[in-house]
Amino acid sequence: MGVRGQGHRLPPLLCPHRLREVLVAGYPVLLVRNKKEFSALSSRCPHYGAPLSKGSPGSRERLRCPWHGACFNIRTGDIEEYPSLDCLHCFKVTVEDGKVFVTAKRKVWTLPAGTTHKQHLGVGSISAFPVSSLVGVAALVCAETLRQMGFTGRVIMATKEKHVPYDKSKLSKVSDQGHREVSASFLPQAVAVDFQKQKVHFMDGSSQKYNQLLIATGCQPSLLKVPGADLQNVCVLQTPEDSSKILELATGKNLVIIGASFIGMEAAAFLSDKAAAISVVEKQEFPFQRVLGPQVGAVTMKMLQNKGVKFYMQAELRQGSSLPLRTFAALILAPLPAGTFPSSAFLKGTSIARDASGAILVDLHMQTNIPNVFAAGDVASFPVALLNGERCSIHHQQVAEVHGHTAALNMLKKEKQLHTIPFFWTTMFGKSIRYAGRGAAAALGYVHWRDPRSAFSFREGVVSAAASLSCDPMVALIAEALYTGKQISKEEAE
């Protein structure tokens, strides 16, 4: 049974902004105007429900989410940029006598966004053409893309964790909820790869032949190398089990966090009203200074200090045992990316190309130096367009997802080159921090900080990255401009 909404006359306000949320049969719908054509889409981003009416329309018939940078085609609702894993519903639009009418089947209104577009993963379907994946979120997107593009062969995933891929960004919101939301799985752990025989060897002694292989094993933190680091209440935040354990240990007790990274600061913010006291130890002068610079870090540190969090900056833990159990309940290791290393030790002695840190070298097709072997996510070092093709690893969920998507298309011989603008986000005490682009503030020097809600990093006189504090959708606008190749000068940024 179809539903036709009441006609909406086109106000002047719709013309310059092109986006407007309207009610159709009592349900919110996003009305989009692109020149003289109209589209009607789901009004909320499937990722975390951001209002798309506040998003950034691009020049290539796409719409970018104001919160986390996901992009959708305004004609079809299809995903054009991650982190969303679901598409938008797209509804029929007609224009009569200056009014826009939207029509859809009644049952569609109650379905979650993406239901009509997203295809089932179908892992394990029978075929003689397997694609193996050493698994992370990049591998999840790779497998899903293969299915969406019509691949019907076997897809085999292997991971050292007890879970299928999940949203790791929730782990730093330290709670047992993230654990309950994750399904248990029994996937074998890979211990070696024989590229010549095209085989992956597993810990249980079995092996699996592959036709194409994606390595998406991520990275792991460097552990403390001080006496006392092996105490039972020293935790590394990597898994849902770690998250649950930290919550249990820290509630009503004293907590020490080593490293003022995004993970560490998110954990501090979440636990600030649960722990008796929180202390942060960090080598730098301000939190996440290497990425966002001292101004952004200083504002964030002040927010946490106002909640009672104590900071010991430009300091380093020398003796873990000097903080005995009676002094603190838990110690979280939350290292910066510089305190992590790629999970690629199992490739030692093979012919796959890696850099000095162990990151696997790939091209813009996510292809390694070995035929039919791809790498994606934190374990990969790839050419970054915003750095004039300089290789680096970028530890963002959104980047890992687009890596997996690109790898899948090239497994299917689509000759797809990576084209994305890295997008990162965090929220503390109801205030959002967004970051898009690539450009460490300390390395690039000039940062503009205004009122103080927005900051820009510059490379060769043009914007290479932008950050904002509760100033949506500024970063989404910058990201879309960078994606289309627009160069933003210092004068334009100011």
Side-chain angles (χ1 to χ4, degrees), residues 254-306:
N254 297 334
L255 174 69
V256 176
I257 298 175
I258 306 300
S261 65
F262 288 103
I263 294 174
M265 295 303 89
E266 286 176 352
F270 187 85
L271 293 169
S272 62
D273 61 348
K274 299 172 179 62
I278 297 178
S279 301
V280 177
V281 180
E282 166 60 41
K283 292 181 180 180
Q284 299 293 313
E285 186 177 1
F286 298 103
F288 32 78
Q289 181 174 336
R290 291 173 179 162
V291 178
L292 299 183
Q295 293 91 337
V296 183
V299 172
T300 307
M301 188 164 73
K302 185 65 176 177
M303 285 167 42
L304 287 160
Q305 286 173 329
N306 290 340

Side-chain angles (χ1 to χ4, degrees), residues 41-161:
L41 305 162
S42 309
S43 66
R44 299 279 167 165
C45 179
H47 184 229
Y48 276 100
L52 293 176
S53 60
K54 299 183 182 299
S56 306
S59 60
R60 299 185 181 184
E61 298 186 343
R62 43 189 260 149
L63 171 64
R64 185 179 287 269
C65 169
W67 288 2
H68 306 130
C71 293
F72 307 91
N73 187 290
I74 62 175
R75 288 179 177 270
T76 65
D78 290 337
I79 300 170
E80 294 205 350
E81 182 67 277
Y82 294 92
S84 176
L85 293 176
D86 286 317
C87 305
L88 301 177
H89 289 301
C90 189
F91 309 109
K92 181 181 177 181
V93 177
T94 56
V95 180
E96 301 174 10
D97 299 325
K99 289 185 177 181
V100 177
F101 293 87
V102 179
T103 306
K105 293 182 179 180
R106 186 179 296 276
K107 66 178 182 180
V108 174
W109 299 118
T110 58
L111 292 174
T115 304
T116 56
H117 295 77
K118 188 177 178 182
Q119 301 180 35
H120 295 293
L121 190 59
V123 174
S125 61
I126 299 173
S127 172
F129 184 61
V131 174
S132 297
S133 178
L134 308 182
V135 75
V137 67
L140 172 65
V141 173
C142 178
E144 176 139 337
T145 302
L146 288 170
R147 290 296 186 233
Q148 289 175 343
M149 297 300 294
F151 177 72
T152 58
R154 293 181 69 199
V155 178
I156 301 170
M157 291 188 174
T159 176
K160 66 179 181 180
E161 290 200 32

